[in-house]
Amino acid sequence: MTQGSYKQFCPIAMASEILCTRWTLILLRELVTGVTRFNDLRRGVPRMSPALLSQRLKDLEEAGIVTRKRGRGGVQEYHLTESGRELEPIIMSVGAWGQRWIEKDLSLQHLDAQLLMWDMRRNLDTDPLPARRSVIHFHYADAPAAQRKWWLVVEPNGEVDLCSVDPGFDVDLYVACDLRTMTAIWMGYETVKRSLANGALLLTGDKKIAANMQTWLGLSPLAKVERMAS
């Protein structure tokens, strides 16, 4: 952690040496949302190399922010320590500032179907969905071929699985739109109702699931932050 040191005793400088290295805040975003396993962390930071992810986790462990534990089945997990949990409001405040002040067109230049679907999967509100298995198929015609089709499988117990390969179940609702539209809805820049009205979003299938989409979609935890930028 001494590499690139500011060589200042100021606590802001010292904290910055730990928290402001490349990808660290993004990794902490995943950890504060409860992600603990290496492969799941990778899904939240898909453009981060496995080697760098391992290094950042090691750095955070050395700084006393993360601790390693054996989880179910003996799988290694990464959990925030007391000092790590204290970072949660700081991470969310940084996100709230970004949501409030950064122009949405700048955010929407960085589209990523895999990251979007992973975020949607973990924030999905299963309460409005039927008390049975529900399968929702998303199709983004403008996305790269490997990221064009996704399935959210919601089980009666509330468990949600994300698939990039057809899971083989009957589909209850087909969702078709471009990636920018769904990202804008997820971020709170747009709504399901307006996107349906202007033809940017097409829903086919179970009418009740379609009617409740704005609710079960969950949206980004920062979607409700009042925006100052256009």
Side-chain angles (χ1 to χ4, degrees), residues 139-187:
H139 184 261
Y140 304 119
D142 63 326
Q147 296 191 14
R148 215 165 272 172
K149 298 179 180 180
W150 302 87
W151 290 259
L152 285 173
V153 181
V154 186
E155 299 292 350
N157 63 2
E159 184 177 332
V160 183
D161 193 19
L162 172 64
C163 305
S164 58
V165 177
D166 190 343
F169 301 126
D170 291 337
V171 174
D172 295 284
L173 183 69
Y174 292 89
V175 180
C177 64
D178 58 61
L179 186 53
R180 192 180 195 278
T181 294
M182 187 53 65
T183 304
I185 292 172
W186 168 250
M187 293 301 297

Side-chain angles (χ1 to χ4, degrees), residues 13-72:
M14 297 299 294
S16 295
E17 290 182 13
I18 299 171
L19 303 177
C20 295
T21 52
R22 183 167 172 78
W23 287 107
T24 299
L25 284 181
I26 311 303
L27 175 55
L28 285 167
R29 177 197 68 193
E30 297 300 303
L31 290 164
V32 300
T33 60
V35 181
T36 60
R37 296 191 173 188
F38 189 87
N39 286 338
D40 288 340
L41 288 167
R42 283 195 65 193
R43 297 179 81 173
V45 286
R47 298 179 187 274
M48 187 180 189
S49 72
L52 183 57
L53 174 57
S54 294
Q55 182 60 54
R56 289 291 179 263
L57 287 168
K58 182 179 178 181
D59 292 341
L60 291 172
E61 186 177 7
E62 289 177 353
I65 293 172
V66 166
T67 185
R68 283 183 291 176
K69 298 179 181 179
R70 289 289 175 185
R72 207 180 327 175

Side-chain angles (χ1 to χ4, degrees), residues 34-221:
V35 181
T36 60
R37 296 191 173 188
F38 189 87
N39 286 338
D40 288 340
L41 288 167
R42 283 195 65 193
R43 297 179 81 173
V45 286
R47 298 179 187 274
M48 187 180 189
S49 72
L52 183 57
L53 174 57
S54 294
Q55 182 60 54
R56 289 291 179 263
L57 287 168
K58 182 179 178 181
D59 292 341
L60 291 172
E61 186 177 7
E62 289 177 353
I65 293 172
V66 166
T67 185
R68 283 183 291 176
K69 298 179 181 179
R70 289 289 175 185
R72 207 180 327 175
V75 177
Q76 185 168 268
E77 296 181 346
Y78 298 88
H79 293 263
L80 292 171
T81 62
E82 181 181 358
S83 71
R85 291 191 297 272
E86 194 172 311
L87 288 168
E88 180 174 356
I90 298 171
I91 301 298
M92 297 308 294
S93 292
V94 170
W97 181 90
Q99 180 80 349
R100 182 175 292 113
W101 291 104
I102 295 176
E103 294 181 5
K104 65 181 181 181
D105 285 343
L106 291 177
S107 295
L108 294 175
Q109 289 177 14
H110 304 288
L111 302 177
D112 188 320
Q114 181 177 343
L115 178 58
L116 173 65
M117 294 305 301
W118 179 244
D119 273 352
M120 287 167 56
R121 176 254 178 197
R122 66 183 173 189
N123 287 279
L124 201 76
D125 182 357
T126 61
D127 287 343
L129 294 171
R132 55 170 172 78
R133 176 186 291 141
S134 298
V135 181
I136 304 161
H137 177 36
F138 291 79
H139 184 261
Y140 304 119
D142 63 326
Q147 296 191 14
R148 215 165 272 172
K149 298 179 180 180
W150 302 87
W151 290 259
L152 285 173
V153 181
V154 186
E155 299 292 350
N157 63 2
E159 184 177 332
V160 183
D161 193 19
L162 172 64
C163 305
S164 58
V165 177
D166 190 343
F169 301 126
D170 291 337
V171 174
D172 295 284
L173 183 69
Y174 292 89
V175 180
C177 64
D178 58 61
L179 186 53
R180 192 180 195 278
T181 294
M182 187 53 65
T183 304
I185 292 172
W186 168 250
M187 293 301 297
Y189 304 151
E190 193 49 85
T191 65
V192 170
K193 183 177 181 180
R194 285 199 299 265
S195 298
L196 285 169
N198 63 28
L201 174 66
L202 178 64
L203 302 180
T204 307
D206 190 301
K207 293 183 178 179
K208 187 173 181 181
I209 296 178
N212 289 325
M213 182 175 177
Q214 188 71 58
T215 303
W216 58 253
L217 195 58
L219 301 190
S220 161

